[in-house]
Amino acid sequence: MSFPIHRKRRLRVSEPMRRMVRENHLEPSQFVLPLFVVPGEGIRKPISSMPGNFQLSIDELVKECDKAHALGIGGVILFGIPDAKDDSASGAYAEEGIVQRALRAVRRALPKLLLITDVCNCEYTSHGHCGKIVNGDVDNDATLEWLAASAVSHARAGADIVAPSDMMDGRVAAIRGALDQSGFQNTAILAYAAKYASAFYGPFREAAESAPQFGDRRTYQMDPANGREAMHEMELDFEEGADLLMVKPALPYLDLIRQARDRFPVPISAYQVSGEFSMLMAAVERGWLEYERAMMESLISIRRAGADIILTYFACDAARLLG
Ligand code: PBG
């Protein structure tokens, strides 16, 4: 017998061959596009660190959602930037809050577009932290009330899925209870279950104007050194009733996406965050990386690791490429 018997290159000889043996695929329906909404009209303000992304007033947001919907993407996730911030994040759960108004407008224009909302307080607090400050730190249980109120107001305004990103303990149970009590048994919860205190959120905080004014988020978001703890976080959110679980960021945490996929029966999502997007775009702008190839490789890697759903600022361009 001549060596080698196995020639792996046989299955790579042509695109039809490669296509037939391809293990993983991307589809527009797996992508969720994050969008930032601001008060006003006719506003389309570029986010300098995130080329192609904007702060949008509601009228412009509806147009953007229309485009995304036409490309067949899975859904959009909305982030609000209010007119005014205060100590009690009142804009987060106001019936006339920016996200609530945006939801009603998009729901009216595009009844079939899947609408997800980020449930958090950091865009709405004057100090930029994700909850109520008591003695210099975010108070867990007081914050749960704000989160539950926000989730219910989002559901009432038309959200299909609410996605708590605050990392308070017990928030999924608190939100589930509040939704059920208000008659929103069918509103699903996508828990940002394993969310790290990551440097890769930098550009987002410019986009959402949500940088903490003192300290950092390490007393509530996870330590990047910990993987076992991520499984415990996800276990807790699953037991509290989360319908979908998320790992965030994505590329630096592919190991955890894989572990989560193997361990839980629910859909696993991964958030390719602002910093992951921006660093790739920066290299593209310098001519150091090929845009389409680098984008698609990053997305298929997240998919190969086990993500069923990818939240990504590339959602529209990737969907367009997939045709
Ligand atoms: C809100 C929130 C953040 C992101 C999503 N929801 C920022 C943060 O925790 O500071 C980050 C998203 C991104 O970087 O693209 N808490």
Side-chain angles (χ1 to χ4, degrees), residues 79 118 120 122-123 130 165 192 195 200-201 204-205 217 221 248 271 273-274 313:
F79 296 90
D118 183 84
C120 198
C122 57
E123 296 110 88
C130 298
S165 67
Y192 285 71
K195 175 173 176 180
F200 293 103
Y201 308 150
F204 172 95
R205 292 180 188 169
R217 303 210 202 290
Q221 298 180 348
K248 176 185 173 194
Y271 198 143
V273 301
S274 57
Y313 301 95

Side-chain angles (χ1 to χ4, degrees), residues 5-18:
I5 302 227
H6 285 288
R7 288 186 181 272
K8 297 304 295 171
R9 293 181 58 187
R10 285 186 198 116
L11 299 186
R12 295 176 201 143
V13 289
S14 64
E15 178 52 21
M17 188 72 91
R18 292 190 293 271

Side-chain angles (χ1 to χ4, degrees), residues 9-10 46 56 104 111-112 144 246 267 270 277 298 316 319 322:
R9 293 181 58 187
R10 285 186 198 116
L56 303 162
R104 289 193 288 265
K112 288 196 176 143
L144 296 184
M246 189 197 296
F277 172 82
S298 70
C316 287
L322 292 168

Side-chain angles (χ1 to χ4, degrees), residues 203-218:
F204 172 95
R205 292 180 188 169
E206 176 204 332
E209 301 175 10
S210 65
Q213 301 303 299
F214 64 90
D216 54 43
R217 303 210 202 290
R218 285 180 234 205

Side-chain angles (χ1 to χ4, degrees), residues 7-312:
R7 288 186 181 272
K8 297 304 295 171
R9 293 181 58 187
R10 285 186 198 116
L11 299 186
R12 295 176 201 143
V13 289
S14 64
E15 178 52 21
M17 188 72 91
R18 292 190 293 271
R19 182 166 162 262
M20 191 185 72
V21 301
R22 192 157 292 144
E23 298 177 29
N24 292 286
H25 301 270
L26 291 167
E27 281 175 36
S29 62
Q30 298 159 345
F31 302 142
V32 171
L33 175 68
L35 291 168
F36 302 96
V37 57
V38 293
E41 240 193 270
I43 297 170
R44 198 176 165 80
K45 186 177 167 211
I47 299 160
S48 63
S49 54
M50 300 175 69
N53 288 267
F54 304 86
Q55 291 184 342
L56 303 162
S57 52
I58 291 175
D59 52 327
E60 291 291 324
L61 174 79
V62 171
K63 292 183 205 162
E64 205 68 22
C65 287
D66 193 23
K67 270 190 256 167
H69 191 40
L71 287 165
I73 69 162
V76 298
I77 180 165
L78 301 182
F79 296 90
I81 299 119
D83 254 337
K85 304 174 188 254
D86 58 31
D87 275 357
S88 51
S90 57
Y93 41 84
E95 253 359 275
E96 290 302 313
I98 180 65
V99 164
Q100 289 80 355
R101 287 193 288 128
L103 282 167
R104 289 193 288 265
V106 179
R107 181 48 79 228
R108 205 176 312 123
L110 301 162
K112 288 196 176 143
L113 176 62
L114 193 85
L115 298 179
I116 308 174
T117 56
D118 183 84
V119 176
C120 198
N121 300 299
C122 57
E123 296 110 88
Y124 304 93
T125 50
S126 37
H127 44 71
H129 276 287
C130 298
K132 183 174 183 176
I133 300 292
V134 178
N135 299 327
D137 192 16
V138 173
D139 186 272
N140 195 86
D141 298 12
T143 301
L144 296 184
E145 291 170 32
W146 296 357
L147 296 168
S150 297
V152 170
S153 72
H154 292 173
R156 191 173 294 126
D160 299 294
I161 301 177
V162 292
S165 67
D166 52 283
M167 289 301 278
M168 297 303 120
D169 294 315
R171 79 269 168 79
V172 173
I175 289 172
R176 186 72 270 158
L179 286 172
D180 289 356
Q181 239 178 29
S182 308
F184 297 109
Q185 283 83 359
N186 285 332
T187 304
I189 299 176
L190 160 59
Y192 285 71
K195 175 173 176 180
Y196 285 86
S198 172
F200 293 103
Y201 308 150
F204 172 95
R205 292 180 188 169
E206 176 204 332
E209 301 175 10
S210 65
Q213 301 303 299
F214 64 90
D216 54 43
R217 303 210 202 290
R218 285 180 234 205
T219 68
Y220 41 106
Q221 298 180 348
M222 288 183 57
D223 182 338
N226 296 355
R228 214 170 43 224
E229 187 189 357
M231 291 307 111
H232 194 197
E233 278 284 3
M234 299 186 104
E235 192 88 54
L236 293 171
D237 284 0
F238 176 66
E239 281 167 8
E240 287 176 31
D243 301 282
L244 313 99
L245 297 169
M246 189 197 296
V247 173
K248 176 185 173 194
L251 277 188
Y253 298 88
L254 291 181
D255 53 330
L256 303 177
I257 297 173
R258 167 48 54 198
Q259 287 178 41
R261 178 59 292 153
D262 290 343
R263 186 161 172 154
F264 300 102
V266 297
I268 300 298
S269 64
Y271 198 143
Q272 183 178 45
V273 301
S274 57
E276 297 179 68
F277 172 82
S278 296
M279 65 183 176
L280 200 146
M281 291 306 285
V284 167
E285 283 184 353
R286 290 184 168 208
W288 290 354
L289 287 178
E290 258 179 74
Y291 177 58
E292 291 182 355
R293 288 189 56 205
M295 165 175 75
M296 296 314 270
E297 187 174 332
S298 70
L299 292 169
I300 198 70
S301 300
I302 296 165
R303 175 95 186 107
R304 192 194 61 242
D308 304 290
I309 300 158
I310 307 174
L311 290 80
T312 173

